[in-house]
Structure formats: C-alpha cells, structure tokens
C-alpha cells in the first residue's frame, strides 16, 4: 500500500536529493531536423513522461498564450519542443494524439486545455499521476515533489523562480532546459515505480481528452 501521510515541506527538504537528468540527457529540438530526429526516437515508446511550460501572465485579465514548450521523456532522457508562433510540428501533434501511446504527468488538466485551445491538439491517452495517490487530508493534491518523497524517500527540488520564467523566449538557458526536462522525466520515473508495485489504476480510468 502506498503511504498516505502528507510529508511536510521542511521534512522533504531534509531528504537526499533526487538525481535528475544530466545536461546531455536533455535535448532541445530547436530545428525541424532535430524535432524530426526526436520524434523518430520517441515514436517507439509506449509510455512517455509529459509536461508543458507556458510564459506566465502578469496582469489581471491577461490571457495565457502558451504552451510555449512541450516536454516528452523516455526512460533515458527528455526532449524539449519549443512552440513558436503558435505552431508545432505536425508529427508532434500526431504523436500526442496517438491513442496507443500513454502520456503520464502531474496536474495535466491545464496543459491539455491549452494544447487543445491553442494548437488544436487533443491528447490521445493520458494518465494524471495525481489520481494514483491518496492523502490523509482529501483536500490535498499530491504533486511530483510529494510523490518522489513518498516513493523514493528523496527530495525533487523544483525552482519557483525557474517555473515562472519567460518560456516563450529563445534560447532557453541551461537551467530552464534542466527544469523542463526533469519535470517530464520525473513523471515517468514515478510511473515506473508505481508500475513495479502494481499500483497503477486499471485501463478504464486512464483519461482521454474529449
């Protein structure tokens, strides 16, 4: 049975650090050629870690213009796909909409909504890992940091400063690339751990974007 105790933030920060991807394992698909190579590599994966990043909004009533980055991770690394001028590669759209491939991540409702609104992408098969964790307090949602602490006894450090950077501005800094790549990869790591423990929900509960 998975732990249900919500581990306090200060207790999590005292845990050993979660070892993320090396810089070489995070690759930016900054050109059509690199994107094509990335999609060929990812096309053979049945399960991918998944996330998106958007430039934050700063003014009341300002509408989001993202996503500005789409992240996909296999077991051996992550690819980052910049979204420029509200467009992405048609092959990326096909991959995300493929109902035979499972995309796993945390708190994906907003990501899916923006992909649909801005890029016309209806993700084919998605598992929001939030649904795999219970808490003693039903009001609490378990995100990546809490999930890693519960499953691995480690601290997955996420920078609030990096999360609110301008994801629409290229080139992305090495720190941005590391943050974005690990966000998708950690989801796949959590999925693999749940899979090994037999703690994944049955197939009918996997949510597809309608």
């Amino acid at each position: 049975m998975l732990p249900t105790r919500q581990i306090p933030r200060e207790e999590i920060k005292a845990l050993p650090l979660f070892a993320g991807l090396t810089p070489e394992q995070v690759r930016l698909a900054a050109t059509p050629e690199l994107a094509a190579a990335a999609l060929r590599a990812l096309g053979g994966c049945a399960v991918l870690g998944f996330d998106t990043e958007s430039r934050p909004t700063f003014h009341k009533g300002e509408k989001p213009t993202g996503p500005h980055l789409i992240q996909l991770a296999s077991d051996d690394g992550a690819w980052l796909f910049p979204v420029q001028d509200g467009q992405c590669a048609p092959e990326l759209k096909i991959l995300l909409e493929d109902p035979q491939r499972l995309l796993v991540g945390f708190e994906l409702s907003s990501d899916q909504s923006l992909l649909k609104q801005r890029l016309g992408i209806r993700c084919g098969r998605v598992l929001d890992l939030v649904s795999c964790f219970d808490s003693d307090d039903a009001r609490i949602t378990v995100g990546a940091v809490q999930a890693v602490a519960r499953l691995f006894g480690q601290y997955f450090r996420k920078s609030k400063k990096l999360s609110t950077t301008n994801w629409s501005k290229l080139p992305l800094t090495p720190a941005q690339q590391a943050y974005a790549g690990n966000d998708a990869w950690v989801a796949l790591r959590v999925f693999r751990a749940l899979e090994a423990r037999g703690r994944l929900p049955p197939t009918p509960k996997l949510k597809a974007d309608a």
Side-chain angles (χ1 to χ4, degrees):
M1 185 173 181
L2 293 177
T4 59
R5 182 178 79 91
Q6 186 75 2
I7 304 174
R9 181 75 177 178
E10 289 307 310
E11 187 176 327
I12 291 176
K13 291 170 71 172
L15 295 172
L17 280 177
F18 175 82
L21 296 169
T22 65
E24 294 75 23
Q25 290 176 296
V26 180
R27 290 148 288 189
L28 184 66
T31 67
E33 294 75 19
L34 286 173
L39 292 167
R40 284 195 298 271
L42 296 171
C45 299
V47 184
L48 292 171
F50 168 57
D51 195 21
T52 71
E53 303 294 343
S54 297
R55 182 180 67 84
T57 55
F58 298 102
H59 306 290
K60 185 177 180 180
E62 184 181 358
K63 294 183 179 180
T65 58
H68 298 104
L69 190 72
I70 298 171
Q71 304 107 271
L72 293 171
S74 63
D75 289 303
D76 61 356
W79 279 98
L80 313 180
F81 297 87
V83 178
Q84 301 181 63
D85 301 320
Q87 296 183 355
C88 70
E91 295 83 0
L92 178 56
K93 183 176 187 291
I94 291 170
L95 184 147
L96 293 173
E97 292 184 336
D98 184 355
Q100 302 304 313
R101 181 174 292 101
L102 178 61
L103 307 174
V104 299
F106 285 93
E107 300 179 272
L108 295 174
S109 295
S110 176
D111 303 83
Q112 291 186 83
S113 178
L114 286 174
L115 283 169
K116 185 177 178 180
Q117 292 173 20
R118 302 287 301 170
L119 301 174
I121 295 174
R122 293 170 171 81
C123 294
R125 192 162 174 248
V126 175
L127 172 60
D128 195 323
L129 294 167
V130 169
S131 67
C132 298
F133 293 88
D134 295 319
S135 287
D136 296 333
D137 186 339
R139 298 169 298 178
I140 292 173
T141 296
V142 175
V145 175
Q146 184 71 210
V148 168
R150 293 189 191 185
L151 283 174
F152 307 128
Q154 296 174 342
Y155 173 30
F156 177 52
R157 184 163 55 192
K158 294 190 65 170
S159 166
K160 180 69 173 178
K161 182 179 180 180
L162 280 171
S163 72
T164 56
T165 53
N166 186 353
W167 294 99
S168 67
K169 184 179 179 181
L170 297 177
L172 298 176
T173 67
Q176 283 179 304
Q177 293 183 49
Y179 176 96
N182 279 295
D183 254 11
W185 190 69
V186 76
L188 187 58
R189 284 288 313 278
V190 168
F191 173 87
R192 294 300 189 202
L194 294 171
E195 183 179 44
R197 296 185 186 198
R199 301 303 301 176
L200 293 174
T203 300
K205 291 187 179 180
L206 297 179
K207 296 179 181 180
D209 184 23

